[in-house]
Amino acid sequence: MTGQAAALRAGTDNGSVSGEGQGSAFARSVSALLERTEYRRCESGEDLEAIYRLRYKAYKAYGLVGEAENERICDAMDDTPNSYRFGVFIDGELVSTVRLHHITAAEPWGPVMRVYSDMLEPRIAAGETFVNPGQFTADPSVSGSFRLLPYLTLRLAVIANTYFDSTSCVCLIRDEHVAFYKRIFGSAQVGLARPYPPFTVPVMLYESNCEENMAKTVARYPFFRSTFAERRLLFQRPDADELAPLTVLPTAKYRVAA
């Protein structure tokens, strides 16, 4: 068992995870694993290369992409100014990654716009804004302990929606993930299945309205809470003469205590 898998297994072995919600053994397990978790915004160098290679490793393992000689997955959406690429580390080891886009009229870029621009452009023009999580992948070696990783990783999407005060969180979702997004985030389908090359399966557009769902989601899952300091460190762009933080430690426990 790798170090990542051992860490995740420890997070599920200290109690039942059948109940989801505040005070449940499951919520305590996620919160305990957050103690060993670091978020790293990856913008250059080895960290960025590592998440590109992790994407390929995960998608290839599940048959979602074909062979690639360079064994990495990245696209033009990685380099837009509203793109935020994160690595999630447990005990110093990269276990998962996610990319977030904050879509506005000034910066209208994101994977959802490549597929559903006809539906979203009128809403953006009317003043709505969106957070679009994508490229969420996890190291296949921890797939046996995958239960907690979506919560640790997509916590970043919850924080982004809070920080940017977005209208909705919009996602391109494959059929097998629909139940998770409905249950956790109250997401609803707003777009029929469409192709999304280079992936070999179609995707659907799902939306979670923040005004309707955010408070309920955070109340049910207290590990989604964050302090303003954490939100700023994760998403505020540094000035030209400032360095971005290397890692950011989750603050849910401090927010709950407060």
Side-chain angles (χ1 to χ4, degrees), residues 23-101:
S24 70
F26 172 78
R28 292 193 298 272
S29 294
V30 177
S31 297
L33 196 54
L34 275 174
E35 299 276 348
R36 303 161 64 182
T37 300
E38 297 177 356
Y39 296 130
R40 190 174 302 173
R41 197 168 78 203
C42 304
E43 299 187 341
S44 62
E46 293 181 0
D47 283 343
L48 198 55
E49 183 69 17
I51 66 173
Y52 290 164
R53 290 187 177 277
L54 178 56
R55 290 175 185 175
Y56 176 78
K57 180 181 179 181
Y59 288 136
K60 185 68 173 63
Y62 294 104
L64 299 176
V65 296
E67 296 283 349
E69 185 175 348
N70 62 2
E71 297 186 344
R72 63 203 298 271
I73 289 181
C74 58
D75 56 34
M77 292 292 101
D78 281 304
D79 298 319
T80 61
N82 63 331
S83 171
Y84 300 82
R85 295 156 294 186
F86 290 97
V88 179
F89 294 76
I90 294 178
D91 295 338
E93 297 183 74
L94 178 66
V95 295
S96 64
T97 178
V98 68
R99 182 179 68 191
L100 302 165
H101 284 83

Side-chain angles (χ1 to χ4, degrees), residues 4-254:
Q4 301 104 309
L8 287 167
R9 183 68 68 192
T12 58
D13 284 349
N14 61 5
S16 169
V17 296
S18 60
E20 295 182 356
Q22 185 167 358
S24 70
F26 172 78
R28 292 193 298 272
S29 294
V30 177
S31 297
L33 196 54
L34 275 174
E35 299 276 348
R36 303 161 64 182
T37 300
E38 297 177 356
Y39 296 130
R40 190 174 302 173
R41 197 168 78 203
C42 304
E43 299 187 341
S44 62
E46 293 181 0
D47 283 343
L48 198 55
E49 183 69 17
I51 66 173
Y52 290 164
R53 290 187 177 277
L54 178 56
R55 290 175 185 175
Y56 176 78
K57 180 181 179 181
Y59 288 136
K60 185 68 173 63
Y62 294 104
L64 299 176
V65 296
E67 296 283 349
E69 185 175 348
N70 62 2
E71 297 186 344
R72 63 203 298 271
I73 289 181
C74 58
D75 56 34
M77 292 292 101
D78 281 304
D79 298 319
T80 61
N82 63 331
S83 171
Y84 300 82
R85 295 156 294 186
F86 290 97
V88 179
F89 294 76
I90 294 178
D91 295 338
E93 297 183 74
L94 178 66
V95 295
S96 64
T97 178
V98 68
R99 182 179 68 191
L100 302 165
H101 284 83
H102 178 224
I103 301 172
T104 66
E107 297 182 325
W109 306 290
V112 291
M113 302 304 291
R114 292 175 53 188
V115 187
Y116 295 97
S117 59
D118 57 322
M119 298 178 60
L120 297 176
E121 281 180 351
R123 297 176 59 181
I124 294 170
E128 294 189 45
T129 64
F130 305 103
V131 166
N132 175 201
Q135 297 286 6
F136 166 38
T137 53
D139 189 328
S141 68
V142 304
S143 60
S145 303
F146 194 74
R147 173 72 164 162
L148 305 183
L149 270 182
Y151 299 88
L152 294 174
T153 308
L154 293 176
R155 179 175 178 270
L156 288 162
V158 176
I159 295 173
N161 280 286
T162 303
Y163 179 79
F164 293 114
D165 192 22
S166 59
T167 305
S168 294
C169 187
V170 289
C171 304
L172 300 176
I173 299 179
R174 304 195 303 273
D175 184 66
E176 62 266 31
H177 296 155
V178 165
F180 174 84
Y181 284 87
K182 282 184 174 180
R183 185 179 76 253
I184 306 304
F185 302 110
S187 300
Q189 184 176 357
V190 293
L192 298 177
R194 296 183 182 182
Y196 183 43
F199 298 99
T200 58
V201 295
V203 294
M204 297 169 285
L205 180 62
Y206 269 74
E207 174 180 6
S208 176
N209 180 275
C210 292
E211 184 175 357
E212 295 177 3
N213 296 315
M214 180 66 71
K216 291 184 291 186
T217 297
V218 173
R220 185 179 182 190
Y221 302 101
F223 48 78
F224 283 146
R225 296 173 181 168
S226 60
T227 63
F228 173 77
E230 183 186 8
R231 296 191 289 271
R232 180 178 58 80
L233 288 170
L234 287 168
F235 292 105
Q236 181 174 290
R237 299 291 192 189
D239 294 333
D241 58 345
E242 293 181 336
L243 295 176
L246 292 178
T247 60
V248 179
L249 302 179
T251 60
K253 63 177 181 178
Y254 304 115

